[in-house]
């Protein structure tokens, strides 16, 4: 039987890895270190998945661009000191193995840096499951469609062969701009209502529910 979506592209933070709480905490601590107003948690969750410069423009608009490296240093300090605490969501590894064995090509399109993604792939030993990965610091960041289009070109897939899976409105907007269908998973950074407003094919609340949906429809 031909697969409806031979290419499945996953976001990372908040989709496969339960890291939004650590990201929010690292933002808050960085702001405190630099004497900046601490943004509300909802605002910090909103920027998850965006490129770093876009995130800072949204969160700390009064921060001068020449001070971005200082914020970056503090954020990396706080995040890296605890990134080993962020687990994969339950069932991720077995789902990826099952999808790969079923003949799907798997990829990642993430707002993480290349260095950050490589570290996560090594720590989790998930790199073996993905045929392509794209990061925000080597392409246009979300919601621009470039990362998704580049993954499709690398793997020789068309838009109608591709499904994007993510936990933020940025993931879904990227997919829409690329002409790609999308599934929203609601256990990550953005709320179910925010995700449903962008009209994905479905909203699922767990890896188990995603796995079921893909088995029936993917």
């Amino acid at each position: 039987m031909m697969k409806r979506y031979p290419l499945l592209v996953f976001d990372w933070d908040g989709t496969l890895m339960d890291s939004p709480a650590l990201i929010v905490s690292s933002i808050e601590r960085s702001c405190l270190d630099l004497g900046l107003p601490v943004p509300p948690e909802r605002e910090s969750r909103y920027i998850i998945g965006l490129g770093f410069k876009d995130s800072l423009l949204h969160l700390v608009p009064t921060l001068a661009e020449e001070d971005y490296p200082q914020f970056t240093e503090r954020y990396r300090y706080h995040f890296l000191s605890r990134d080993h605490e962020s687990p994969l969501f339950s069932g991720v590894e077995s789902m990826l193995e099952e999808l790969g064995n079923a003949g799907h090509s798997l990829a990642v399109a993430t707002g993480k840096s290349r260095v950050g993604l490589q570290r996560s792939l090594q720590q989790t030993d998930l790199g073996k499951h993905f045929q392509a990965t794209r990061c925000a610091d080597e392409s246009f960041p979300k919601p621009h469609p470039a990362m998704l289009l580049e993954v499709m070109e690398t793997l020789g897939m068309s838009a109608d062969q591709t499904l994007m899976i993510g936990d933020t409105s940025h993931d879904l907007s990227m997919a829409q701009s690329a002409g790609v269908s999308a599934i929203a998973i609601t256990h990550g950074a953005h709320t179910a209502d925010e995700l449903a407003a962008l009209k994905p094919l479905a909203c699922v609340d767990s890896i188990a529910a995603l796995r079921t949906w893909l088995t029936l429809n993917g």
Side-chain angles (χ1 to χ4, degrees):
M1 182 181 297
M2 292 187 64
K3 295 170 185 58
R4 184 176 179 187
Y5 300 109
L7 173 58
L8 304 176
V9 184
F10 294 87
D11 170 60
W12 188 266
D13 289 309
T15 297
L16 299 179
M17 179 165 277
D18 189 5
S19 49
L22 175 57
I23 293 171
V24 169
S25 173
S26 299
I27 291 169
E28 293 173 346
R29 293 183 183 203
S30 300
C31 289
L32 290 171
D33 288 348
L34 300 178
L36 297 166
V38 175
E41 180 179 349
R42 179 172 180 174
E43 294 302 306
S44 293
R45 283 181 168 269
Y46 171 79
I47 61 88
I48 294 175
L50 292 177
F52 208 76
K53 183 174 181 180
D54 291 336
S55 298
L56 292 182
L57 286 170
H58 182 84
L59 287 176
V60 284
T62 60
L63 185 67
E65 190 165 353
E66 58 264 28
D67 294 328
Y68 284 6
Q70 190 177 12
F71 191 100
T72 302
E73 186 277 325
R74 297 316 300 159
Y75 177 84
R76 287 175 60 83
Y77 170 80
H78 290 298
F79 187 87
L80 293 176
S81 67
R82 295 174 56 208
D83 71 331
H84 61 282
E85 299 175 10
S86 294
L88 295 170
F89 285 105
S90 178
V92 163
E93 186 163 14
S94 59
M95 177 189 68
L96 295 176
E97 184 172 2
E98 181 178 278
L99 292 170
N101 289 339
H104 290 280
S105 294
L106 307 179
V108 172
T110 176
K112 296 178 83 66
S113 68
R114 172 53 62 184
V115 170
L117 179 62
Q118 288 304 116
R119 183 177 60 253
S120 291
L121 291 174
Q122 290 169 3
Q123 288 175 345
T124 60
D125 196 31
L126 291 189
K128 61 192 175 187
H129 295 292
F130 299 109
Q131 286 73 60
T133 59
R134 293 299 286 175
C135 300
D137 61 348
E138 58 194 14
S139 184
F140 290 101
K142 300 171 186 176
H144 194 284
M147 283 195 287
L148 194 47
L149 294 172
E150 290 163 8
V151 165
M152 290 158 52
E153 182 178 8
T154 296
L155 298 179
M157 299 288 184
S158 61
D160 61 354
Q161 294 176 303
T162 303
L163 181 68
M164 179 69 205
I165 300 153
D167 70 301
T168 71
S169 57
H170 315 310
D171 298 314
L172 304 186
S173 294
M174 176 178 67
Q176 286 181 348
S177 295
V180 167
S181 297
I183 293 293
I185 190 161
T186 63
H187 63 195
H190 289 187
T191 67
D193 287 344
E194 290 171 323
L195 297 169
L198 287 166
K199 302 188 185 306
L201 293 179
C203 290
V204 297
D205 62 4
S206 66
I207 293 296
L210 174 62
R211 192 174 189 168
T212 298
W213 192 96
L214 291 172
T215 299
L216 296 174
N217 304 286

